């Protein structure tokens, strides 16, 4: 494409395989890009990559909810029509997008160009913002806030490699903010230097049309300032880009400068104020009264900033909100090259402002309003003179309105950031009070029903209010203390606000109906301090949550209607946060109740280990941690600890299923590795059965240990769980290196067991990862802390639990913590009797006689009959149906346990013999005489055991 009077420009490096094309290739491969690409393009590439964008991404967002009668559209349509006529017959396409990157208008030099585009790009509504489309003309113009050119391979997306474009932000001269982007697109094989001039003129034409709606008062004030010659007499030589300056200026500085300028205007006289910036520099604001030819009186605020001129200029923001309907005017202007005067229109609800356009000397537009240029000069005599720049122009009374309005808006903005930082009802109420004091009120009290504090809805808030927060500029006023129930009379402002649902303003508390008599104990002294009250109901989603009372004491002026509106807005925002916290509290209470109900309530009586345990829920979401202690045959004990992935009700319910299943598998006397295999299959099945729940993959980790006090051996297996801590009797702490095993639910991978000898008096600590894993602490450091906490052999398990929670557990756990401490005991060898015998029926009587003598030595004569009969049947079955060698063992603990083992893996089967059967009654008799009986498999063979009480006859 070649414009009239222009010369073709050869394509840039982007299409030749070198320069940007080569740099882009290296960039996408993760290699450093040292040159061949402009800084703005490289920065955009880096932003695109950080956003996770792909160069091959083809789809763009589309929205049809944009305003088709927006000011930018009305201003741009005639300009685009003229541009379309100018570029008729060429490959040019012209677009106008809004400040979010949504294309609002599009024109083509050739109609066929539209047909070559995807269908959704032929109509307005598709989004070309950098965050979704990567490096492109519209997106980069919004990011860089200036005229840009993107050519060929400088585009991030593959679909744009053959095109080039120029794009320029279109600013609202009233506020200085970017209203949209004008973009010229054309093939990358064509270029013309005159396009830069053309697009600037077109953008200025659109901006002039935006400015035509400004009022006569605004133009009069600004022209009066210009007519004084102040804009040129200040000796402005350097120009600044306000958008770039505003980026440099600290947000606090922007607020302070704007507020101070409005304050100076409100005084209506000559004055000066020195403002210290965040970086130590100082700006002097000078006010100068003036009068327009039409009689409009106002004040101009100029800024003087000494110091060395920075590369990046300094911007003074000036956007100020006032209530709609204010009669005054405030003009905010800025300096940029080279401007001339044009009118501007005020947006609804904003202070009307006038500005200088691009053809007036030394005027620029800023994102927060039009701002006077502030250059920097050195203070020493040889340095250039200080530079003065216009910051704000307005009428005195408008400054007062603007100042108050700005402070209200800042308070609401701060409230959005400060209120609701936690999901705690009391803390959220405290945040409301801290936000309101002292900028709205001197004292704040907040009263909430007890039910709301528990996470429920109050049946009658008027009779269930409790003082939740008392906060103010001092602590010596006699408000009802926190925690006390507050009874308001039916005519008090607090109850009236609950009844009406609206804020109740009492400018003079001494005249407030019903308030004086409601609390005689505190009212008399309160009236000597506070004089004005706003009572606001805390209501969210139709639920009454409580009352917020704002009191004024130091400020002699009473609360007004604006204060009531502000208090109501603050309370409404806080009420939503309080209701969110209440709902969360209710849900957390439900989950925690379910979680605790599924954990063991009473641990079984046994002699193998001495047990202590703790469960500490997370501060935020309750997870699915659990522990269990399971008595097993042969005086052994099973120790379980586990952790279900995730938080909430589903995790707690899944934990209950896993704990029940784990206990069942353990009571079947499966070894630890087989128990984990069965649990792994269960978790996989649960995950497959509920794929539509939308809760993600179900998973869990766990550790299972079986301790045998007769041999002092402990067999352990784990599934993705942290290893236990072992404390030997001498205080030595170690973390056994157990086979890790995969987490439950992965399936297909084996689990392995390890066996460790535990001397009597050893302590075994089983825990979940919430104890040691914390994003604020290193795991190795935490394990060292745990080692130090456990290195006290004299501690009982209860003391060990307490010490670990106090010294190792995080102060604010973000995950549940389950803790199980077991101190081992050994069964006295004198309480164990064992005999080995061949598979010979003649030896049964010998074993029976030896067992009776042993029972007599133990003083168990009353149990001898039942034990003799059970032992006889078990030995006989082992000889007939098993394989030698056969071993008989008696264990004298809380009960008497008879065990018969053989080398066969065939399990006995209990059946009821018919009346005509000659056999088959042996196991039935054992089952009738024993409290319990069962089979335990060994690596080679099995054990048949029966347990009977010591008082059996």
């Amino acid at each position: 494409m070649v414009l009239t009077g222009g010369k073709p420009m050869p394509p840039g490096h982007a299409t030749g395989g070198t320069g940007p094309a080569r740099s882009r290739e290296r960039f996408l491969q993760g290699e450093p890009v040292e040159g061949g690409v402009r800084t703005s393009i490289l920065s955009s590439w880096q932003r695109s990559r950080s956003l996770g964008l792909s160069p091959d991404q083809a789809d763009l967002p589309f929205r049809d909810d944009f305003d088709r009668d927006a000011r930018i559209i009305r201003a741009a349509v005639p300009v685009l029509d003229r541009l379309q006529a100018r570029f008729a017959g060429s490959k040019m396409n012209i677009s106008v997008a809004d400040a979010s990157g949504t294309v609002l208008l599009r024109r083509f030099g050739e109609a066929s160009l539209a047909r070559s585009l995807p269908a959704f790009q032929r109509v307005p509504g598709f989004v070309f913002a950098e965050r979704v489309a990567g490096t492109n003309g519209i997106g980069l113009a919004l990011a860089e806030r200036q005229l840009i050119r993107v050519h060929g391979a400088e585009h991030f997306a593959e679909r744009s490699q053959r095109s080039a474009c120029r794009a320029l932000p279109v600013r609202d001269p009233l506020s200085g903010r970017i209203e949209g982007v004008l973009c010229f697109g054309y093939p990358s094989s064509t270029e013309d230097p005159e396009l830069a001039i053309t697009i600037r003129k077109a953008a200025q034409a659109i901006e002039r049309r935006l400015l035509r709606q400004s009022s006569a008062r605004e133009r009069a004030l600004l022209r009066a300032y210009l007519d004084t010659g102040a804009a040129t007499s200040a000796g402005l030589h350097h120009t600044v880009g306000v958008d770039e300056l505003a980026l440099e200026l600290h947000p606090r500085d922007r607020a302070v400068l704007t507020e101070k300028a409005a304050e100076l205007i409100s005084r209506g006289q000559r004055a000066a104020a020195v403002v210290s910036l965040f970086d130590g520099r100082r700006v002097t604001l000078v006010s100068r009264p003036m009068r327009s030819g039409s009689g409009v009186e106002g004040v101009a605020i100029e800024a003087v900033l000494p110091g060395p001129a920075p590369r990046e200029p300094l911007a003074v923001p000036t956007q100020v909100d006032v209530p709609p309907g204010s009669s005054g005017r405030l003009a905010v202007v800025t300096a940029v090259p080279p401007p001339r005067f044009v009118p501007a229109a005020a947006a609804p609800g904003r202070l009307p402002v006038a500005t200088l356009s691009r053809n007036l000397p030394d005027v620029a537009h800023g994102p927060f309003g039009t701002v006077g240029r502030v250059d920097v000069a050195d203070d020493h005599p040889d340095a250039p003179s200080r530079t003065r720049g216009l910051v704000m122009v307005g009428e005195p009374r408008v400054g007062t309105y603007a100042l108050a309005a700005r402070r209200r808006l800042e308070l609401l903005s701060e409230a959005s950031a400060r209120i609701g930082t936690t999901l705690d009802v009391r803390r959220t109420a405290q945040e409301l009070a801290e936000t309101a004091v002292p900028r709205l009120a001197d004292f704040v009290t907040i009263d909430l029903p007890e039910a709301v504090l528990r996470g429920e809805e109050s049946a009658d808030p008027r009779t269930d209010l409790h003082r939740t927060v008392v906060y103010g500029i001092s602590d010596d006023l006699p408000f009802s203390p926190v925690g006390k129930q507050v009874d308001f009379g039916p005519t008090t402002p607090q109850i009236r606000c609950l009844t009406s649902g609206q804020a109740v303003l009492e400018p003079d508390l001494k005249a407030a109906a019903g308030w004086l008599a409601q609390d005689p104990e505190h009212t008399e002294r309160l009236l000597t301090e506070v004089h004005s009250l706003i009572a606001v109901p805390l209501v969210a989603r139709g639920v009454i949550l409580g009352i917020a009372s704002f009191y004024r004491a130091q400020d002699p002026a009473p609360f007004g209607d604006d204060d009531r509106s502000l208090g109501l807005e603050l309370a409404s925002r806080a009420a939503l946060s309080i209701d969110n916290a209440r709902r969360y509290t209710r849900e957390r209470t439900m989950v925690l109740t379910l979680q605790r109900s599924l954990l063991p309530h009473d641990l079984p009586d046994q002699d193998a280990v001495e047990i202590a345990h703790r469960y500490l829920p997370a501060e935020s979401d309750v997870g699915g941690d659990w522990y269990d202690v399971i008595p097993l045959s042969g005086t052994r004990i099973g120790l379980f600890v586990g952790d279900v992935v995730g938080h909430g009700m589903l995790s707690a319910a899944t934990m209950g299923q896993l704990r029940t299943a784990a206990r069942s598998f353990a009571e079947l006397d499966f070894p630890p590795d087989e128990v984990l295999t069965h649990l792994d299959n269960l978790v996989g099945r649960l995950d497959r059965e509920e794929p539509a729940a939308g809760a993600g993959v179900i998973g869990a980790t766990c550790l299972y240990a079986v301790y045998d006090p007769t041999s002092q051996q402990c067999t352990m297996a784990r599934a993705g769980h942290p290893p236990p801590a072992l404390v030997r009797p001498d205080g030595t702490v170690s973390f056994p290196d157990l086979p890790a095993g995969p987490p439950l639910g992965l399936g297909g991978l084996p689990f392995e067991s390890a066996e460790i000898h535990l001397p009597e008096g050893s302590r075994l600590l089983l825990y979940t990862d919430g104890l040691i894993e914390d994003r604020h602490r290193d795991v190795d450091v935490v394990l060292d802390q745990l080692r130090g906490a456990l290195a006290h052999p004299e501690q009982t398990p209860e003391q060990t639990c307490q010490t670990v929670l106090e010294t190792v557990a995080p102060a604010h756990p973000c995950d549940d913590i389950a803790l199980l401490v077991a101190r081992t005991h050994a069964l006295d060898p004198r309480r164990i009797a064992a005999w080995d015998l061949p598979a010979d029926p003649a030896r049964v009587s010998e074993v029976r006689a030896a067992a009776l003598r042993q029972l007599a030595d133990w003083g168990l004569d009353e149990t001898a009959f039942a034990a003799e009969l059970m032992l006889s049947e078990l030995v006989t079955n082992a000889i007939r149906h098993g394989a030698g060698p056969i071993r008989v063992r008696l264990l004298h603990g809380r009960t008497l346990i008879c065990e018969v083992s053989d080398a066969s893996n065939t399990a006995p089967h209990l059946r009821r013999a018919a009346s005509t059967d000659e056999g088959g009654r042996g196991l039935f008799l054992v089952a009738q005489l024993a409290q319990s009986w069962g089979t335990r498999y060994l690596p080679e063979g099995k054990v048949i055991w029966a347990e009977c009480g010591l008082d059996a006859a």
Side-chain angles (χ1 to χ4, degrees), residues 446-450 458 460-468 483-488 494-495 498 544-547:
I446 298 178
D447 307 307
L448 303 178
E450 187 68 26
S458 176
D460 187 1
R462 291 172 297 182
T463 61
D464 187 31
L465 291 172
H466 287 73
R467 182 58 45 86
T468 306
K484 181 180 179 180
Q485 184 169 353
V486 183
D487 297 320
F488 292 110
Q494 286 83 356
I495 296 300
L498 281 184
I544 298 177
L545 303 173
I547 301 171

Side-chain angles (χ1 to χ4, degrees), residues 71 142 146 219 316 329 500 612 624 627 674 752 762 777 910 926 947:
R71 294 176 63 237
L142 289 172
Q146 61 182 339
R219 294 194 295 270
V316 184
R329 292 292 183 265
S500 65
Y627 59 87
E674 291 189 24
E752 300 180 36
S762 299
R777 304 185 299 171
L910 177 65
V926 171
E947 181 177 348

Side-chain angles (χ1 to χ4, degrees), residues 193 373 565 642 666 872:
R373 178 179 61 77
S565 299
S872 178

Side-chain angles (χ1 to χ4, degrees), residues 252-264:
R252 187 198 68 175
D253 295 336
R254 293 200 295 266
V256 171
L257 284 171
T258 305
E259 183 172 340
K260 182 58 68 175
E263 182 180 340
L264 290 175

